[in-house]
Amino acid sequence: MVDIFLKTLPFFALIALGFQACRTGFFTSEAAAYLTKFVFYFALSAMLFRFAANLSLADIFDWQFVGAYLSGCIVVYLLATLVAMIRKRPVTEAAFEAQCAIIGNVGFLGIPMLVVLLGEAAAGPVILVLSVDLIVFSSLIVIIVTGSRDGRMSLGVLRTVGIGLLKNPMIVSIVLGLSWSATGWDVPGPVNEFLAILGAAATPGALFAIGASLAGKSAERMSVAGWLTFCKLVLHPAAVAVAALFLFDVPDYDAGVMIAAAALPVAGNVYILAQHYGVAPQRVSATILISTALSILTVSAVIAWLSPLTGT
């Protein structure tokens, strides 16, 4: 546990550095926004394309893996929704609370950290987890919120979802990388080197950007945020672990990576959506802040527990 904690500590130290830089005003919120944009559209996209271009669809996609991950997510998603409905929250708020309970920071934290800690073989499983989160649950929240407000489903909602996926650089990078891989051609040396250099900026850039984004968040509504943090850091990886290790036929290493990805704190894009739709942004903000702070310990504990599966 201590060894794993010391390995994860530099990643969270970069988050703390970004937080402090923005909190003190040395790094402005505008600068943080542009750094996030650079990471999202350039550095992380280069990293994802390079990983995907060196993998085939068969290397990444596995129905047993998807079934295990989805099953674990759905159990926690429904539990968080039920608790919100018992508290008599509107459908839209219940949907965002459920989103907080299962959507981890796989893009900005998971890919850079887990690939370093668990080896490059983790890239395929992490990419699949990211794809399920983006395609299934990021689409679901838009459908629920829009459908609830309109009182009905329409083709316009599906069109919005489709355009959103096509504009997401992470999805585009993965699809383009897999398409290149399908040709059977090697990535040309200079191109591969360019992608490696640009992608290397994703790890420090993404972690610093996470910290900078947290600096503007508040820890209000602690009771609800505490419950959602418990869902994300404890119940979500536990449910995914049960599904991956006992209910589905998932290779041990892949199961370990999946569980580690499920243990990540709440993703920042949940707040962006909450703010965009005007649905409980402070509650989501508090959950992101608390879950990220506590994940310094919980992620280390989960990865240490998974060491027999992942060989770390």
Side-chain angles (χ1 to χ4, degrees):
M1 169 67 185
V2 174
D3 289 342
I4 297 296
F5 174 74
L6 292 177
K7 287 182 180 179
T8 60
L9 191 59
F11 295 92
F12 289 102
L14 276 168
I15 293 175
L17 183 64
F19 179 87
Q20 188 64 20
C22 214
R23 194 77 164 184
T24 59
F26 181 79
F27 212 73
T28 65
S29 57
E30 185 180 18
Y34 277 104
L35 174 61
T36 301
K37 201 169 187 177
F38 164 74
V39 172
F40 191 52
Y41 284 96
F42 297 96
L44 192 57
S45 296
M47 176 183 280
L48 285 170
F49 177 88
R50 185 165 173 264
F51 284 148
N54 289 288
L55 296 166
S56 67
L57 184 59
D59 292 328
I60 295 177
F61 192 80
D62 174 33
W63 279 113
Q64 291 289 324
F65 185 104
V66 173
Y69 183 68
L70 273 177
S71 297
C73 288
I74 289 170
V75 168
V76 179
Y77 190 96
L78 292 177
L79 176 62
T81 301
L82 177 62
V83 171
M85 298 303 284
I86 290 173
R87 291 175 21 244
K88 303 186 185 305
R89 306 318 304 163
V91 171
T92 52
E93 289 187 21
F96 269 101
E97 289 191 11
Q99 199 82 349
C100 285
I102 64 165
I103 300 299
N105 204 335
V106 180
F108 272 48
L109 179 59
I111 290 174
M113 184 171 72
L114 296 182
V115 168
V116 171
L117 292 177
L118 305 179
E120 286 213 0
V126 175
I127 285 174
L128 189 50
V129 167
L130 177 64
S131 299
V132 172
D133 282 349
L134 292 174
I135 295 171
V136 177
F137 294 106
S138 292
S139 301
L140 181 61
I141 189 69
V142 174
I143 291 171
I144 291 174
V145 173
T146 308
S148 175
R149 289 181 172 177
D150 293 346
R152 61 185 178 85
M153 292 302 300
S154 66
L155 290 177
V157 175
L158 300 179
R159 181 173 176 273
T160 299
V161 169
I163 291 174
L165 290 174
L166 290 174
K167 286 184 175 180
N168 190 305
M170 290 190 287
I171 290 290
V172 172
S173 300
I174 293 168
V175 170
L176 289 178
L178 290 174
S179 299
W180 183 276
S181 174
T183 66
W185 301 336
D186 291 333
V187 177
V191 175
N192 192 59
E193 189 65 23
F194 166 77
L195 292 171
I197 295 170
L198 182 56
T203 300
L207 296 173
F208 191 96
I210 291 171
S213 68
L214 291 175
K217 292 179 170 49
S218 60
E220 299 176 18
R221 302 187 68 93
M222 290 288 288
S223 59
V224 178
W227 155 246
L228 295 176
T229 294
F230 177 74
C231 286
K232 184 67 201 73
L233 299 183
V234 179
L235 297 185
H236 188 214
V240 168
V242 170
L245 299 177
F246 301 106
L247 303 181
F248 290 84
D249 185 19
V250 180
D252 286 351
Y253 179 82
D254 292 355
V257 176
M258 182 200 308
I259 297 164
L264 295 170
V266 181
N269 63 355
V270 182
Y271 174 76
I272 294 172
L273 283 172
Q275 195 173 44
H276 174 74
Y277 288 110
V279 179
Q282 291 180 327
R283 197 177 317 160
V284 173
S285 170
T287 306
I288 293 172
L289 184 62
I290 295 170
S291 66
T292 302
L294 292 180
S295 67
I296 299 173
L297 297 176
T298 59
V299 169
S300 299
V302 169
I303 293 177
W305 175 68
L306 293 170
S307 58
L309 297 179
T310 58
T312 55

